Amino acid sequence: MMLQVKDLAKHYVLGEGLSSLFGLSQSQTIRAVDGINLSVQPGEVLGLVGESGCGKSTLARLLVGLEEPSEGEISFGGEDMARLRQKDRRAFHRQVQMVFQDPYGSLNPQHTILEIVSRPLIYQKTGLDKAGLRERAIEALSEAELLPAERYLSKFPHELSGGQRQRVCIARALVLKPDLIVADEPISMLDVSIKWGIVRLLKRLVEKRKIGLIYITHDLSSVPAVCDKLAIMYLGRIVESGPCREVFANPEHPYTQALLAATPNPNPDIVRERPIISGAIPSAANIPSGCRFHPRCPVAEPICTTDFPQSRGKGYHRTECHLAVHGKQELAAD
Ligand code: ADP
Ligand code: MG
């Protein structure tokens, strides 16, 4: 098992200092990530899907070590990540890389593509000379399918298209030959016409290099083309997870059903007649009791306001929905 995440949480406490200063009692806890379990194997793609604000980027930052968890564990290659990072920060960053949503914002406009892509090698103190850095940059750019790579080396980010810039970001992530890449909405800011090229590139890289990939998106339509496993996130938790094909064919959680119903279906033979949810995602500072989806759920039962079945531990199941786990009749009899 390459990556294993257990009961991971990130809670932001806001206004603690100020409110005590002014004698106010209101400090606010934002439960951005609130008890996540997941795993990724080499050569496997886990899709992480949920509406804006559900905690995807916070989870991504935790996984690549940009933030410290409030609770829970992340282990990498069997080793606790906190310990791994303490022991050898550089080695950790060599193994885990991130691709960001915004290829414009994440590239320094004053650096050439060669400087951008070879920078991680310098940070890692690989000891490569100029020719060596150039060679590795060319290799990474070629893998990101910017061809011929030599032609891009002296260019600046503004000279490239959005898709080419995102390929540069991917090359920068690849240059250290990582084991895991976390891609946070890598195509959401790109034109429709080039999105698929980037998605297929990521998939090919995973297969060829046996990299683990966490593919984060708010849009389910690109998921079947890339993902082996799928995790549906809602207000800081994974409410349903399983093999991608199974979740698509038979979504169990009403939230997953609603997300799928709102997604254009590439296969017109499957007609989805599923509830469309109303209202907006509640604030992570004010998470509903019980099943956190119950205020928006079209099939919620009284028990859903107080309790939800955890999708881990004894008697593993795919969702955190009472109806899916126990069935309607059993609930009525309770
Ligand atoms: P997503 O990427 O799914 O849109 P985020 O992880 O960005 O979601 O945010 C999840 C929740 O956590 C949101 O309510 C957001 O406002 C809050 N949040 C994210 N980062 C911080 C932070 N540094 N401080 C306080 N709240 C945060
Ligand atoms: Mg985000």
Side-chain angles (χ1 to χ4, degrees), residues 61-77:
R61 290 196 301 272
L62 291 169
L63 295 177
V64 300
L66 289 172
E67 286 197 65
E68 299 291 331
S70 313
E71 287 164 27
E73 283 162 36
I74 305 170
S75 66
F76 200 78

Side-chain angles (χ1 to χ4, degrees), residues 159-180:
E159 297 177 81
L160 306 183
S161 71
Q164 288 170 334
R165 272 187 274 232
Q166 194 56 298
R167 285 170 192 269
V168 170
C169 295
I170 292 170
R172 176 176 57 185
L174 286 173
V175 78
L176 294 174
K177 306 184 188 298
D179 298 316
L180 179 74

Side-chain angles (χ1 to χ4, degrees), residues 56-58 101 184-185:
K56 304 181 296 297
S57 293
T58 305
Q101 177 175 20
D184 188 4
E185 309 225 31

Side-chain angles (χ1 to χ4, degrees), residues 183-204:
D184 188 4
E185 309 225 31
I187 59 166
S188 68
M189 292 180 76
L190 302 179
D191 287 347
V192 179
S193 57
I194 50 181
K195 282 183 179 189
W196 289 105
I198 299 288
V199 165
R200 281 193 290 264
L201 167 65
L202 288 170
K203 182 71 176 167
R204 274 197 295 275

